[in-house]
Amino acid sequence: MPDTLLSIQGLSAGTEDTPILHNINLSVDAGQTHVLMGPNGAGKSTLGHVIMGDPTFQVTSGSITFDGNDITELSPDKRSLAGIFLSYQAPVEVPGVPLYSFLRTICQMRPELKTTARKFRQRVADICKQLEMDDSFLTRELNVGFSGGEKKKIEMLQLLLLRPKLAILDETDSGLDVDALAIVSRGIEAYRQECDGALLIITHNTRILERLDVDRTHVMVRGNLVGAGDAALIDEIDANGFGRFEAALAAKGGAN
Protein backbone atom coordinates (compact mmCIF):
# COMPACT_ATOMS: atom_id res chain seq x y z
CA MET A 1 0.00 0.00 0.00
CA PRO A 2 1.35 3.50 -0.84
CA ASP A 3 2.08 5.88 2.03
CA THR A 4 -0.14 8.93 2.50
CA LEU A 5 2.09 11.99 2.20
CA LEU A 6 -0.50 14.79 2.44
CA SER A 7 -3.83 14.43 4.24
CA ILE A 8 -6.31 17.31 4.43
CA GLN A 9 -9.34 16.67 6.62
CA GLY A 10 -12.40 18.92 6.94
CA LEU A 11 -10.42 22.03 6.01
CA SER A 12 -12.18 25.38 5.88
CA ALA A 13 -10.22 28.59 5.45
CA GLY A 14 -10.35 32.14 4.18
CA THR A 15 -9.32 35.69 4.85
CA GLU A 16 -10.37 37.61 7.94
CA ASP A 17 -13.68 38.63 6.39
CA THR A 18 -14.27 36.09 3.62
CA PRO A 19 -14.66 32.29 3.79
CA ILE A 20 -13.07 30.73 0.71
CA LEU A 21 -12.54 26.99 1.26
CA HIS A 22 -15.31 24.78 2.61
CA ASN A 23 -14.77 21.38 4.26
CA ILE A 24 -11.96 20.21 1.96
CA ASN A 25 -10.90 16.55 2.16
CA LEU A 26 -7.94 15.54 0.02
CA SER A 27 -5.16 12.93 0.24
CA VAL A 28 -2.02 12.60 -1.86
CA ASP A 29 0.16 9.51 -1.62
CA ALA A 30 3.95 9.62 -1.93
CA GLY A 31 5.04 9.70 -5.56
CA GLN A 32 1.58 10.45 -6.96
CA THR A 33 0.58 13.20 -9.38
CA HIS A 34 -2.70 14.97 -8.60
CA VAL A 35 -4.34 17.71 -10.65
CA LEU A 36 -6.66 20.39 -9.23
CA MET A 37 -8.89 22.07 -11.80
CA GLY A 38 -11.76 24.52 -11.66
CA PRO A 39 -13.00 27.83 -13.05
CA ASN A 40 -11.26 31.11 -12.24
CA GLY A 41 -11.90 32.21 -8.67
CA ALA A 42 -12.76 28.70 -7.47
CA GLY A 43 -10.22 28.79 -4.62
CA LYS A 44 -7.59 26.53 -6.18
CA SER A 45 -4.66 28.85 -5.53
CA THR A 46 -5.95 29.54 -2.03
CA LEU A 47 -5.75 25.84 -1.24
CA GLY A 48 -2.13 25.73 -2.40
CA HIS A 49 -1.26 28.73 -0.25
CA VAL A 50 -3.06 27.33 2.79
CA ILE A 51 -1.12 24.05 2.46
CA MET A 52 2.07 26.14 2.38
CA GLY A 53 1.00 28.14 5.46
CA ASP A 54 0.51 31.55 3.83
CA PRO A 55 -0.47 33.87 6.73
CA THR A 56 -2.84 35.77 4.42
CA PHE A 57 -5.32 32.96 5.04
CA GLN A 58 -6.67 31.60 8.31
CA VAL A 59 -7.74 27.99 8.86
CA THR A 60 -11.10 28.02 10.64
CA SER A 61 -11.55 24.26 10.93
CA GLY A 62 -9.92 21.00 9.94
CA SER A 63 -6.31 19.86 9.74
CA ILE A 64 -3.36 19.37 7.38
CA THR A 65 -1.06 16.41 7.97
CA PHE A 66 2.18 16.06 6.00
CA ASP A 67 4.51 13.08 6.13
CA GLY A 68 2.79 11.87 9.29
CA ASN A 69 2.96 15.19 11.17
CA ASP A 70 0.22 17.75 11.84
CA ILE A 71 1.44 20.96 10.16
CA THR A 72 -1.77 22.99 10.50
CA GLU A 73 -0.07 25.54 12.77
CA LEU A 74 3.46 25.43 11.30
CA SER A 75 5.04 28.50 9.70
CA PRO A 76 5.80 28.46 5.94
CA ASP A 77 9.57 28.11 6.46
CA LYS A 78 9.10 25.00 8.60
CA ARG A 79 6.76 23.51 6.01
CA SER A 80 9.40 24.18 3.37
CA LEU A 81 12.09 22.49 5.44
CA ALA A 82 9.72 19.54 5.91
CA GLY A 83 9.67 19.09 2.12
CA ILE A 84 6.82 21.18 0.66
CA PHE A 85 7.45 23.42 -2.36
CA LEU A 86 5.03 25.99 -3.79
CA SER A 87 5.54 27.65 -7.15
CA TYR A 88 3.80 30.98 -7.52
CA GLN A 89 1.46 32.00 -10.29
CA ALA A 90 3.26 35.38 -10.34
CA PRO A 91 6.79 34.95 -8.89
CA VAL A 92 7.92 37.89 -6.76
CA GLU A 93 10.87 40.11 -7.71
CA VAL A 94 13.53 40.47 -4.99
CA PRO A 95 15.85 43.42 -5.75
CA GLY A 96 19.37 43.26 -4.34
CA VAL A 97 19.50 39.46 -4.04
CA PRO A 98 21.51 37.68 -6.79
CA LEU A 99 19.84 34.50 -7.99
CA TYR A 100 22.91 32.33 -7.35
CA SER A 101 23.29 33.58 -3.76
CA PHE A 102 19.61 32.91 -3.13
CA LEU A 103 19.87 29.35 -4.45
CA ARG A 104 23.00 28.64 -2.43
CA THR A 105 21.41 29.99 0.77
CA ILE A 106 18.17 28.00 0.53
CA CYS A 107 20.06 24.78 -0.21
CA GLN A 108 22.42 25.33 2.74
CA MET A 109 19.36 25.48 5.00
CA ARG A 110 18.56 21.86 4.09
CA PRO A 111 21.07 19.47 5.74
CA GLU A 112 20.46 16.77 3.15
CA LEU A 113 21.33 19.20 0.33
CA LYS A 114 24.56 20.63 1.75
CA THR A 115 27.55 20.07 -0.50
CA THR A 116 30.81 21.69 -1.53
CA ALA A 117 30.76 24.95 -3.46
CA ARG A 118 32.28 23.22 -6.50
CA LYS A 119 29.66 20.45 -6.57
CA PHE A 120 26.88 22.98 -6.05
CA ARG A 121 28.08 25.11 -8.98
CA GLN A 122 28.18 22.02 -11.18
CA ARG A 123 24.70 20.93 -10.12
CA VAL A 124 23.27 24.39 -10.88
CA ALA A 125 25.07 24.46 -14.25
CA ASP A 126 23.68 21.03 -15.16
CA ILE A 127 20.09 22.08 -14.34
CA CYS A 128 20.46 25.36 -16.26
CA LYS A 129 21.55 23.36 -19.31
CA GLN A 130 18.62 20.99 -18.83
CA LEU A 131 16.21 23.96 -18.78
CA GLU A 132 17.95 25.78 -21.66
CA MET A 133 18.63 28.66 -19.28
CA ASP A 134 21.55 31.05 -19.80
CA ASP A 135 23.82 30.81 -16.75
CA SER A 136 24.38 34.58 -16.91
CA PHE A 137 20.94 34.81 -15.25
CA LEU A 138 22.57 33.53 -12.05
CA THR A 139 24.33 36.85 -11.44
CA ARG A 140 21.16 38.91 -11.88
CA GLU A 141 18.79 39.96 -9.11
CA LEU A 142 16.14 37.37 -8.29
CA ASN A 143 13.33 37.64 -10.88
CA VAL A 144 14.08 41.34 -11.50
CA GLY A 145 13.58 42.15 -15.17
CA PHE A 146 12.91 38.54 -16.13
CA SER A 147 10.15 37.63 -18.54
CA GLY A 148 7.26 35.47 -17.39
CA GLY A 149 8.78 32.40 -19.03
CA GLU A 150 12.20 33.08 -17.47
CA LYS A 151 10.64 33.37 -14.01
CA LYS A 152 8.93 30.02 -14.45
CA LYS A 153 12.24 28.45 -15.52
CA ILE A 154 13.82 29.80 -12.33
CA GLU A 155 11.08 28.11 -10.33
CA MET A 156 11.83 24.84 -12.14
CA LEU A 157 15.51 25.37 -11.27
CA GLN A 158 14.55 25.73 -7.60
CA LEU A 159 12.32 22.66 -7.80
CA LEU A 160 15.09 20.45 -9.20
CA LEU A 161 17.64 21.81 -6.72
CA LEU A 162 15.47 21.45 -3.61
CA ARG A 163 14.03 18.02 -4.49
CA PRO A 164 10.93 18.43 -2.26
CA LYS A 165 8.70 15.55 -1.23
CA LEU A 166 5.64 17.49 -2.45
CA ALA A 167 5.60 20.15 -5.15
CA ILE A 168 2.52 22.35 -5.48
CA LEU A 169 2.60 24.03 -8.89
CA ASP A 170 0.18 26.94 -9.03
CA GLU A 171 -0.66 27.84 -12.64
CA THR A 172 2.97 27.23 -13.65
CA ASP A 173 1.83 27.25 -17.27
CA SER A 174 0.22 30.70 -17.01
CA GLY A 175 1.35 33.10 -19.73
CA LEU A 176 3.91 30.75 -21.31
CA ASP A 177 4.49 30.49 -25.02
CA VAL A 178 4.78 27.08 -26.66
CA ASP A 179 8.58 26.84 -26.34
CA ALA A 180 8.68 27.93 -22.68
CA LEU A 181 5.82 25.57 -21.86
CA ALA A 182 7.75 22.65 -23.38
CA ILE A 183 10.83 23.46 -21.29
CA VAL A 184 8.84 23.83 -18.07
CA SER A 185 7.07 20.55 -18.83
CA ARG A 186 10.47 18.88 -19.17
CA GLY A 187 11.46 20.31 -15.80
CA ILE A 188 8.37 18.82 -14.18
CA GLU A 189 9.00 15.49 -15.88
CA ALA A 190 12.61 15.53 -14.66
CA TYR A 191 11.43 16.19 -11.09
CA ARG A 192 9.14 13.16 -11.26
CA GLN A 193 11.88 10.92 -12.65
CA GLU A 194 14.83 12.12 -10.56
CA CYS A 195 13.15 12.88 -7.24
CA ASP A 196 10.09 10.60 -7.28
CA GLY A 197 8.24 13.37 -5.48
CA ALA A 198 4.50 13.96 -5.34
CA LEU A 199 2.86 16.67 -7.42
CA LEU A 200 -0.27 18.76 -6.91
CA ILE A 201 -0.72 20.70 -10.14
CA ILE A 202 -3.20 23.58 -10.06
CA THR A 203 -4.24 24.48 -13.58
CA HIS A 204 -7.02 25.08 -16.06
CA ASN A 205 -4.78 24.45 -19.08
CA THR A 206 -4.40 20.79 -19.97
CA ARG A 207 -1.35 21.25 -22.22
CA ILE A 208 1.07 21.06 -19.30
CA LEU A 209 -0.38 17.67 -18.34
CA GLU A 210 0.23 15.96 -21.67
CA ARG A 211 3.58 14.42 -20.67
CA LEU A 212 2.53 13.38 -17.16
CA ASP A 213 0.88 10.26 -15.83
CA VAL A 214 -1.90 11.69 -13.66
CA ASP A 215 -3.12 9.53 -10.78
CA ARG A 216 -6.05 11.65 -9.61
CA THR A 217 -7.99 14.68 -10.83
CA HIS A 218 -9.99 16.95 -8.51
CA VAL A 219 -12.49 19.65 -9.39
CA MET A 220 -13.09 22.74 -7.25
CA VAL A 221 -16.04 25.12 -7.61
CA ARG A 222 -16.64 28.08 -5.27
CA GLY A 223 -14.30 26.69 -2.64
CA ASN A 224 -15.82 23.20 -2.66
CA LEU A 225 -14.29 20.00 -3.97
CA VAL A 226 -17.15 18.78 -6.13
CA GLY A 227 -15.68 16.00 -8.23
CA ALA A 228 -12.79 13.57 -8.53
CA GLY A 229 -11.65 10.92 -10.95
CA ASP A 230 -8.70 9.54 -12.84
CA ALA A 231 -6.90 11.15 -15.78
CA ALA A 232 -9.95 10.65 -18.02
CA LEU A 233 -11.69 13.45 -16.13
CA ILE A 234 -9.17 15.92 -17.59
CA ASP A 235 -10.31 15.08 -21.11
CA GLU A 236 -13.95 15.49 -20.12
CA ILE A 237 -13.28 18.92 -18.65
CA ASP A 238 -11.23 19.89 -21.68
CA ALA A 239 -14.16 19.00 -23.92
CA ASN A 240 -17.11 20.19 -21.81
CA GLY A 241 -15.86 22.65 -19.20
CA PHE A 242 -17.06 22.84 -15.61
CA GLY A 243 -20.78 23.32 -16.25
CA ARG A 244 -22.00 20.03 -14.78
CA PHE A 245 -19.96 20.52 -11.61
CA GLU A 246 -21.26 24.06 -11.11
CA ALA A 247 -24.82 22.87 -11.67
CA ALA A 248 -24.40 19.99 -9.20
CA LEU A 249 -23.10 22.34 -6.49
CA ALA A 250 -25.94 24.80 -7.11
CA ALA A 251 -28.48 21.97 -6.82
CA LYS A 252 -27.05 21.07 -3.43
CA GLY A 253 -27.16 24.68 -2.25
CA GLY A 254 -23.33 24.82 -2.20
CA ALA A 255 -21.35 27.62 -0.59
CA ASN A 256 -20.71 30.80 -2.55
Side-chain angles (χ1 to χ4, degrees), residues 28-197:
V28 178
D29 290 339
Q32 286 190 332
T33 296
H34 286 230
V35 174
L36 178 62
M37 305 185 75
N40 290 332
K44 305 183 300 296
S45 294
T46 296
L47 179 58
H49 282 255
V50 169
I51 294 170
M52 196 70 231
D54 186 338
T56 305
F57 305 100
Q58 291 83 48
V59 173
T60 54
S61 64
S63 64
I64 304 172
T65 302
F66 180 73
D67 205 16
N69 298 303
D70 189 330
I71 64 167
T72 312
E73 302 297 331
L74 284 188
S75 59
D77 61 315
K78 291 181 179 177
R79 299 186 197 209
S80 177
L81 291 173
I84 303 177
F85 175 92
L86 172 66
S87 76
Y88 287 86
Q89 188 171 350
V92 177
E93 296 185 358
V94 187
V97 178
L99 172 58
Y100 187 85
S101 297
F102 170 75
L103 296 173
R104 182 66 170 154
T105 298
I106 60 175
C107 285
Q108 287 294 97
M109 293 175 66
R110 298 271 295 276
E112 72 276 16
L113 297 177
K114 285 186 177 181
T115 186
T116 65
R118 182 182 63 81
K119 288 182 178 179
F120 181 77
R121 283 195 300 271
Q122 186 59 55
R123 175 62 177 154
V124 171
D126 290 344
I127 298 174
C128 284
K129 184 177 180 179
Q130 188 175 14
L131 297 175
E132 299 181 17
M133 190 171 135
D134 192 327
D135 59 10
S136 66
F137 289 176
L138 298 169
T139 62
R140 293 170 55 182
E141 296 173 304
L142 178 57
N143 288 329
V144 176
F146 288 98
S147 69
E150 290 166 347
K151 289 179 179 179
K152 298 302 174 71
K153 287 183 185 180
I154 290 170
E155 292 210 314
M156 291 299 100
L157 171 58
Q158 294 176 53
L159 174 65
L160 293 175
L161 268 177
L162 290 173
R163 304 173 66 88
K165 297 175 184 176
L166 171 66
I168 304 167
L169 306 183
D170 183 12
E171 303 285 2
T172 299
D173 49 348
S174 177
L176 298 183
D177 61 27
V178 173
D179 292 335
L181 180 63
I183 292 170
V184 168
S185 295
R186 287 207 305 270
I188 296 171
E189 189 175 20
Y191 165 72
R192 288 288 292 117
Q193 293 177 351
E194 297 173 14
C195 308
D196 196 30

Side-chain angles (χ1 to χ4, degrees), residues 233-246:
L233 185 55
I234 297 170
D235 294 330
E236 179 193 334
I237 292 169
D238 203 27
N240 303 312
F242 300 103
R244 78 171 176 91
F245 300 100
E246 293 171 318

